[in-house]
């Protein structure tokens, strides 16, 4: 396996009742998913509620994950903020804690030219010397790239690759075909199998914290040429993802973790706590997800 191959949970940020980081629960999620065969972690991303955390909490979080992982697998930290200078400051604060790469969504809110966005990524790579993973998430950031623009960005020194949180598999296919030396991460868990079919080898996703074993199983089945099983497992995941999205993906993921025995608290307000009926819905969905799945199917 390559360094950036397989599934990377976009890890949730466990919180206590004061909206401070619960490092004990963080460790439990990391150890559980490592046992399930995940290949690394993406920290302080959308799933990690990064834009709701204070800067010092993001730094604490990244350091805590690196400290728990202790070099057993790569850790990618999303350190993106609103300006180049503050993003570099954030990157410098975590540079020596044992992470493998940094990542950032394109600067947003104001409209920037492509040159300005590219310069932002170049400045991050240049100032820190760490590989930079572009976080392409047009639906959330409001910044969409054409395929040619992205291809241009990927040619630059210091760019590790791109996390493609988009359903545009044609764009993803083109990036994989034309940028063989860069890492193209799938970013939507519901199209992990379709992404594998266009040559993607790695995926960063929020649901890998709660069903990492099933998603490891999808890749294993695909690599063994067992498409029937791979499709079956992707279908099970997608039924689960539909329920999570209907409830609200991040609070719902924390809800499932609680059912699985790891209390990660609530998401930061204005996210609202789950209702009792949401837990019932999630319990049922979780039972359905794992019903009849064997160790072999789960990649064990
Ligand atoms: O980081 C996640 N992206 C967002 C990846 O939440 C915006 C995905 O894992 C999605 O949560 C998942 C559900 O749509 O694919």
């Amino acid at each position: 396996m390559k360094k950036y191959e397989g599934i990377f949970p976009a890890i949730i940020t466990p919180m206590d009742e004061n909206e401070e980081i619960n490092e004990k629960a963080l460790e439990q999620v990391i150890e559980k998913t490592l046992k399930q065969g995940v290949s690394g972690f993406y920290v302080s991303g959308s799933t990690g509620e990064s834009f709701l955390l204070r800067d010092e909490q993001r730094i604490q979080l990244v350091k805590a994950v690196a400290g728990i992982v202790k070099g057993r697998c790569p850790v990618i930290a999303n350190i993106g903020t609103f300006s180049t200078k503050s993003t570099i400051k954030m990157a410098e604060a975590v540079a020596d804690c044992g992470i493998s790469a940094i990542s950032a969504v394109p600067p947003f809110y104001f409209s920037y030219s492509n040159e300005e966005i590219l310069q932002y990524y170049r400045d991050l790579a240049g100032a820190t010397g760490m590989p930079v993973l572009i976080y392409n998430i047009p639906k959330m950031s409001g910044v969409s790239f054409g395929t040619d623009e992205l291809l241009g960005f990927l040619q630059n020194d210091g760019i590790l690759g791109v996390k493609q949180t988009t359903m545009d598999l044609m764009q993803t296919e083109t990036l994989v075909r034309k940028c063989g030396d860069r890492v193209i991460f799938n970013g939507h868990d519901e199209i992990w199998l379709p992404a594998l079919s266009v040559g993607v080898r790695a995926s960063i996703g929020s649901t890998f914290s709660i069903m990492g074993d099933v998603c490891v199983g999808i890749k294993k089945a695909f690599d063994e040429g067992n498409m029937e099983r791979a499709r079956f497992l992707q279908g099970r995941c997608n039924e689960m993802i539909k329920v999570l999205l209907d409830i609200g993906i991040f609070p719902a993921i924390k809800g499932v973790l609680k059912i699985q025995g790891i209390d990660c608290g609530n998401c930061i307000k204005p996210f609202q706590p789950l209702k009792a009926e949401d837990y019932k819905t999630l319990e049922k969905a979780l039972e359905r997800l794992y019903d009849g799945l064997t160790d072999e199917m789960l990649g064990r």
Side-chain angles (χ1 to χ4, degrees):
M1 280 245 271
K2 288 192 179 153
K3 181 172 180 185
Y4 296 106
E5 180 175 341
I7 68 166
F8 287 60
I11 198 161
I12 48 98
T13 304
M15 291 288 169
D16 67 18
E17 54 284 358
N18 299 316
E19 299 190 344
E20 297 298 336
I21 298 167
N22 177 346
E23 293 192 19
K24 188 82 211 109
L26 187 64
E27 183 172 7
Q28 289 174 305
V29 177
I30 290 172
E31 295 304 336
K32 176 194 96 147
T33 49
L34 278 174
K35 270 196 208 111
Q36 293 184 334
V38 307
S39 302
F41 294 95
Y42 188 87
V43 192
S44 180
S46 313
T47 312
E49 302 171 60
S50 55
F51 288 114
L52 298 175
L53 295 171
R54 303 188 306 275
D55 283 0
E56 67 266 26
Q57 284 181 308
R58 288 179 76 181
I59 294 166
Q60 179 198 347
L61 177 67
V62 173
K63 286 185 174 171
V65 172
I68 295 162
V69 166
K70 286 199 192 71
R72 286 177 285 173
C73 63
V75 174
I76 306 168
N78 172 27
I79 43 72
T81 65
F82 289 90
S83 75
T84 302
K85 205 170 179 178
S86 63
T87 303
I88 289 174
K89 219 173 129 199
M90 182 82 88
E92 283 170 350
V94 296
D96 298 326
C97 73
I99 58 171
S100 334
I102 52 174
S103 180
V105 293
F108 62 99
Y109 190 73
F110 297 112
S111 297
Y112 300 102
S113 68
N114 286 333
E115 285 98 279
E116 285 167 325
I117 295 176
L118 177 57
Q119 194 54 49
Y120 171 77
Y121 284 117
R122 277 211 194 111
D123 286 344
L124 294 192
T128 64
M130 273 190 285
V132 175
L133 182 70
I134 297 170
Y135 187 176
N136 182 24
I137 181 160
K139 216 173 117 194
M140 302 274 234
S141 67
V143 182
S144 3
F145 299 119
T147 305
D148 287 342
E149 288 167 73
L150 261 181
L151 283 170
F153 285 11
L154 289 168
Q155 304 310 321
N156 284 269
D157 286 346
I159 304 295
L160 171 68
V162 56
K163 163 168 150 61
Q164 278 288 83
T165 307
T166 155
M167 292 292 179
D168 186 350
L169 275 174
M170 182 165 175
Q171 180 175 78
T172 301
E173 187 277 336
T174 308
L175 300 181
V176 173
R177 180 160 39 85
K178 296 200 170 174
C179 299
D181 59 335
R182 297 293 195 250
V183 187
I184 314 299
F185 281 95
N186 173 55
H188 267 308
D189 318 7
E190 46 278 60
I191 54 168
W192 178 212
L193 176 58
L196 283 163
S197 80
V198 298
V200 170
R201 300 297 293 160
S203 191
I204 293 169
S206 58
T207 67
F208 304 155
S209 293
I210 57 171
M211 51 186 189
D213 44 6
V214 188
C215 299
V216 166
I218 292 173
K219 180 168 178 290
K220 180 170 170 259
F222 175 84
D223 287 347
E224 290 170 0
N226 191 340
M227 285 302 287
E228 198 182 330
R229 178 186 292 169
R231 279 171 43 203
F232 173 78
L233 293 174
Q234 183 71 67
R236 281 290 178 91
C237 287
N238 288 4
E239 284 176 355
M240 184 73 198
I241 292 171
K242 164 94 176 58
V243 174
L244 299 170
L245 288 171
D246 285 349
I247 290 176
I249 186 109
F250 308 133
I253 287 173
K254 286 189 172 174
V256 173
L257 281 164
K258 193 167 181 183
I259 295 168
Q260 291 174 332
I262 307 176
D263 189 349
C264 295
N266 295 318
C267 289
I268 296 174
K269 284 178 191 160
F271 280 120
Q272 291 299 303
L274 295 184
K275 301 183 194 73
E277 72 234 41
D278 295 328
Y279 282 102
K280 279 197 199 123
T281 309
L282 290 172
E283 257 166 38
K284 249 198 239 146
L286 200 54
E287 249 170 57
R288 161 83 185 142
L289 169 68
Y290 282 102
D291 184 37
L293 301 190
T294 61
D295 278 359
E296 205 203 341
M297 287 167 134
L298 295 173
R300 287 180 195 136

